[in-house]
Amino acid sequence: MDVTQAISGRRSVREYTEEPVDASVIGNLIDAAIHAPSAVNAQPWAFTVVRDQKALRRVSDGAKAHMLATMGGNPHADHFRSHLRDPNFHIFYHAPALVLISGAAQGPWIVEDCALAGENLMLAAYAAGLGSCWIGFAQAYLNTADGKADLGLPAEWDPVAPIIIGHPKSAVTPVPRKSPEIRWVG
């Protein structure tokens, strides 16, 4: 698969089979992630792979409670609250694996660097026939002391990209893209 096919075909997948993702496959995805560019070649990322479903449930429950307590005037708050209050809603969609990319070194661009690594990981997952989804609901909680403790993360790490990985139950329909506003200078 060429990169254009991967970019245009990748979708956020939220329904997975129970089939586990082999550790060597996850290793290949992380290898793709570390080939992302990073500011001043700092490569500040660290990876936490979670396949323990009890741990994922614990983090899901903690993240839901944290979001409900802190979301304030988010423009999507009403929509989010209905999901977050549902005890059956699992923010990781019962995916067999979570790959959390964290900034393990301090620097002004760790979020951007880890996001670039995350996109590489998601494109590589799609090219390998897997689905992925960046789980924004997990981000704020994983940056708390309780969230870090749930996964045994070092206090100095900054979790940036919680990405679930798994075998999709079915193909995901493409989402229409808006025409971009483009301004040419010169």
Side-chain angles (χ1 to χ4, degrees):
M1 173 179 304
D2 74 18
V3 71
T4 303
Q5 289 173 305
I7 290 169
S8 62
R10 190 216 58 82
R11 302 280 179 266
S12 293
V13 175
R14 293 178 179 86
E15 291 186 57
Y16 297 91
T17 69
E18 292 181 15
E19 182 182 352
V21 179
D22 189 71
S24 66
V25 172
I26 294 173
N28 291 339
L29 301 180
I30 292 171
D31 185 58
I34 67 168
H35 283 85
S38 63
V40 297
N41 199 30
Q43 302 177 45
W45 37 66
F47 300 83
T48 304
V49 179
V50 184
R51 297 191 295 178
D52 179 326
Q53 291 300 308
K54 288 180 183 174
L56 289 174
R57 170 52 78 181
R58 188 175 60 248
V59 173
S60 177
D61 291 345
K64 286 167 37 176
H66 180 78
M67 278 200 66
L68 283 168
T70 61
M71 83 170 67
N74 182 309
H76 303 287
D78 290 337
H79 174 73
F80 289 164
R81 277 189 190 95
S82 66
H83 289 298
L84 296 170
R85 287 183 177 139
D86 180 352
N88 295 315
F89 175 64
H90 191 289
I91 68 167
F92 300 116
Y93 300 96
H94 304 284
L98 167 70
V99 178
L100 173 62
I101 305 173
S102 299
Q106 295 304 305
W109 301 289
I110 62 167
V111 170
E112 293 83 352
D113 294 341
C114 290
L116 289 165
E119 181 68 4
N120 273 17
L121 186 138
M122 292 187 292
L123 290 172
Y126 177 71
L130 298 170
S132 65
C133 187
W134 184 310
I135 304 298
F137 280 167
Q139 286 177 258
Y141 176 68
L142 289 172
N143 272 293
T144 67
D146 288 341
K148 289 179 183 185
D150 268 347
L151 294 181
L153 302 177
E156 63 274 9
W157 284 14
D158 292 314
V160 173
I163 300 170
I164 54 175
I165 303 291
H167 299 274
K169 275 191 178 177
S170 59
V172 179
T173 305
V175 176
R177 298 295 174 185
K178 298 175 186 175
S179 294
E181 181 176 327
I182 302 172
R183 297 187 64 205
W184 295 83
V185 178

